[in-house]
């Protein structure tokens, strides 16, 4: 997977580039597509007939997984929280792909997943479970590869990005980028904008994914090195996960009008707005900036009548 890096314009006196993960050519792309492509490589090597995963009706991850399962004629079962099950473009696509969706109260999700997997196995089925959001070392690996693409772009063009911004949620996108940066021996320059979690929890979740990836792949970096490489900012969460915010809405309208690029209010709009605030608050000028557009295009359409 190789996504384009494009120069989009100057913001706060900084030349701004964007890595278009939203243009991964599968099911509206996004970081969940990059992760799912790797999960399905493993699924295709094994003997599975059902994919089970977790996510709400807004989930980009569930849409992509349901699409890949349908293309293989595999059954896809999605366990979702009752609290977030309103109809969205993603949930309509999950239905289009024939995914079986079970919603339960959020505190019953864990047990329901275990029970579903046990029932499937008892019935002679061969389920493969993907954690919500494509969490786990495979998801992290997808973003180690993404970082490598950025480094290769820099080598081949002679450009160098001083700072790299992106939305940080369940942690594997962020963790993979940090692992890629450290493996490549590059100086710290990644800034993850939290879209929901506060510190220290948000940061710790990313840290756990980093530790797990390094342990599984035989790397041993010191605690201090990892801490230095891990920047997780919780200053731009606004009112929390999935909530609307005037500053974010106005950034979404601006980026669509100015650059013709859709952002959404849950992830990329929040991260883009956080990036602009960070540059301004820290008086950063003339530095070359890369924003990683992590996708979520169907959410842009959900947002369209709210922003
Ligand atoms: C899930 C998601 C994120 C966050 O990715 P994590 O790996 O969970 O941190 C960012 N942007 C979009 C559009 C997403 O769907």
């Amino acid at each position: 997977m190789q996504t384009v890096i494009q120069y989009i314009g100057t913001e706060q006196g900084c030349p701004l580039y964007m890595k278009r993960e939203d243009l991964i050519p599968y099911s509206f792309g996004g970081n969940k597509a990059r992760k799912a492509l790797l999960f399905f490589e493993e699924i295709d090597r094994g003997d599975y007939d059902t994919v089970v995963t977790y996510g709400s009706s807004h989930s980009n991850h569930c849409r992509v997984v349901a699409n890949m399962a349908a293309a293989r004629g595999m059954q896809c079962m999605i366990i979702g929280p009752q609290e977030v099950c309103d109809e969205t473009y993603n949930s309509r696509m999950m239905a289009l792909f024939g995914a079986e969706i079970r919603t339960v109260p959020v505190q019953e999700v864990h047990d329901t997943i275990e029970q579903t997997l046990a029932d499937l196995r008892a019935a002679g089925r061969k389920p493969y479970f993907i954690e919500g959001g494509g969490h786990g070392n495979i998801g992290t690996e997808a973003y180690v590869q993404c970082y490598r693409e950025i480094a290769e772009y820099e080598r081949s063009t002679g450009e160098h990005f001083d700072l790299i911004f992106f939305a940080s949620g369940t942690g594997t996108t962020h963790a993979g980028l940090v692992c890629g940066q450290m493996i490549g021996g590059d100086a710290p320059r990644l800034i993850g904008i939290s879209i929901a979690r506060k510190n220290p929890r948000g940061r710790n979740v990313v840290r756990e994914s980093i530790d797990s990836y390094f342990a599984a792949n035989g790397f041993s970096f010191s605690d201090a090195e990892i801490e230095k490489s891990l920047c997780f900012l919780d200053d731009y969460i606004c009112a929390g996960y999935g909530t609307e915010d005037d500053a974010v809405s106005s950034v979404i309208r601006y980026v669509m009008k100015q650059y013709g690029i859709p952002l959404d209010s849950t992830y990329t709009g929040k991260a883009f707005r956080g990036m602009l605030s960070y540059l301004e608050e820290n008086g950063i000028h003339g530095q070359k900036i890369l924003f990683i557009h992590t996708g979520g295009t169907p959410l842009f359409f959900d947002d369209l009548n709210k922003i």
Side-chain angles (χ1 to χ4, degrees):
M1 186 52 53
Q2 178 85 38
T3 58
V4 72
I5 292 177
Q6 66 175 147
Y7 171 74
I8 64 165
T10 298
E11 292 289 342
Q12 319 271 4
C14 295
L16 177 62
Y17 292 69
M18 209 185 267
K19 183 158 175 67
R20 301 292 304 274
E21 295 287 281
D22 59 317
L23 299 183
I24 287 173
Y26 191 84
S27 198
F28 298 95
N31 63 346
K32 303 314 185 301
R34 187 185 280 273
K35 296 186 203 185
L37 285 165
L38 281 193
F39 277 101
F40 273 87
E41 279 181 18
E42 177 162 283
I43 289 169
D44 289 344
R45 282 194 297 268
D47 177 26
Y48 304 102
D49 56 24
T50 308
V51 181
V52 178
T53 194
Y54 163 74
S56 79
S57 61
H58 297 230
S59 170
N60 295 312
H61 164 74
C62 290
R63 177 239 316 151
V64 171
V65 167
N67 201 344
M68 289 185 187
R72 288 161 172 78
M74 295 176 78
Q75 191 189 354
C76 178
M77 298 189 64
I78 296 169
I79 319 294
Q82 238 160 42
E83 290 79 358
V84 188
C85 66
D86 54 319
E87 193 176 70
T88 66
Y89 283 106
N90 277 331
S91 75
R92 285 179 211 161
M93 280 188 273
M94 292 174 217
L96 172 78
F97 304 136
E100 210 175 296
I101 297 160
R102 282 184 67 186
T103 56
V104 296
V106 69
Q107 68 272 16
E108 289 172 26
V109 160
H110 177 81
D111 291 349
T112 306
I113 291 169
E114 293 303 313
Q115 192 58 50
T116 301
L117 291 170
D119 290 348
L120 285 165
R121 288 189 187 111
R125 306 291 296 267
K126 297 185 176 86
Y128 183 95
F129 177 62
I130 306 179
E131 274 190 58
H135 202 69
N137 287 342
I138 293 176
T140 303
E141 169 63 26
Y143 274 82
V144 171
Q145 294 180 6
C146 178
Y147 188 88
R148 207 174 293 140
E149 284 179 26
I150 295 168
E152 277 162 16
Y153 171 90
E154 291 180 312
R155 260 194 301 278
S156 68
T157 61
E159 312 253 24
H160 174 79
F161 300 115
D162 299 298
L163 293 171
I164 302 175
F165 292 86
F166 52 89
S168 186
T170 62
T172 44
T173 298
H174 194 164
L177 293 167
V178 170
C179 292
Q181 175 181 261
M182 295 183 71
I183 293 165
D186 293 350
R189 55 175 171 161
L190 297 164
I191 300 182
I193 307 282
S194 175
I195 54 92
R197 288 175 179 153
K198 294 295 268 184
N199 278 321
R201 173 153 186 263
R203 183 190 169 76
N204 289 341
V205 171
V206 179
R207 178 65 202 261
E208 281 161 23
S209 290
I210 295 172
D211 291 347
S212 163
Y213 182 85
F214 281 154
N217 291 280
F219 291 98
S220 53
F221 289 99
S222 74
D223 197 55
E225 280 176 292
I226 298 173
E227 285 302 306
K228 210 172 59 186
S229 305
L230 173 51
C231 175
F232 179 91
L233 297 185
D234 66 0
D235 305 307
Y236 310 105
I237 293 168
C238 309
Y241 181 82
T243 53
E244 286 139 47
D245 177 275
D246 286 346
V248 174
S249 297
S250 103
V251 159
I252 293 172
R253 287 194 300 266
Y254 168 73
V255 172
M256 189 68 215
K257 248 186 275 182
Q258 194 63 30
Y259 302 122
I261 297 172
L263 302 176
D264 75 274
S265 62
T266 302
Y267 299 105
T268 54
K270 232 178 229 187
F272 199 96
R273 183 260 170 178
M275 171 181 73
L276 294 181
S277 302
Y278 180 91
L279 294 175
E280 191 185 352
E281 288 160 15
N282 292 280
I284 295 169
H285 287 284
Q287 300 223 29
K288 213 169 262 184
I289 309 293
L290 179 68
F291 180 82
I292 302 177
H293 190 319
T294 45
T297 302
L299 304 181
F300 168 80
F301 290 103
D302 290 327
D303 284 337
L304 207 47
N305 52 8
K306 293 181 264 175
I307 59 165

